[in-house]
Amino acid sequence: MSGGNAIRGTRVGAGPMGESERGETAPRSHISYFCANGHVTTPSFAAEAEIPDSWDCPRCGLPGGRDNANPPAAPRTEPYKTHLAYVKERRSDADGAAILEEALGRLRASREL
């Protein structure tokens, strides 16, 4: 037996929501982007928006291009360089030996005092 509540089972916002309540949607264009792993992403853009040439794939993170036959290659990541690697780029082995000999000479001179 019903309790007599006429609005039982409804809540605020439960009714149908259509364009009459929200307003009209902006015109959109759907553009497909293809990554090197074969994933396809299709974001939608406003019709008057500038369409980017590349879009990051949400599945693998690689950049995606608009050409299915030639997706962009994965960006090349440089390996981590140590401080010593940067020093060796700036100085030759002969320079390093001369600096070491100079430092050792100063150390020996300070110990003689």
Side-chain angles (χ1 to χ4, degrees):
M1 185 179 232
S2 176
N5 191 350
I7 58 170
R8 184 178 180 144
T10 62
R11 65 184 190 285
V12 175
M17 291 269 302
E19 289 185 0
S20 62
E21 292 182 25
R22 289 181 290 175
E24 297 208 11
T25 58
R28 299 243 172 228
S29 60
H30 297 276
I31 306 295
S32 295
Y33 292 92
F34 307 92
C35 75
N37 288 338
H39 302 135
V40 179
T41 305
T42 310
S44 63
F45 298 96
E48 65 272 358
E50 183 178 333
I51 307 298
D53 292 332
S54 67
W55 192 265
D56 289 340
C57 177
R59 294 172 87 188
C60 63
L62 292 177
R66 293 167 66 180
D67 185 8
N68 187 14
N70 297 315
R76 186 170 180 260
T77 56
E78 295 291 326
Y80 174 76
K81 285 187 182 180
T82 63
H83 176 70
L84 180 60
Y86 284 110
V87 170
K88 286 185 176 183
E89 284 180 359
R90 292 192 314 262
R91 303 197 191 283
S92 67
D93 289 339
D95 290 341
I99 292 171
L100 177 62
E101 192 58 42
E102 180 184 331
L104 289 175
R106 280 186 292 194
L107 183 62
R108 290 181 186 124
S110 68
R111 287 187 175 179
E112 291 176 0
L113 294 177

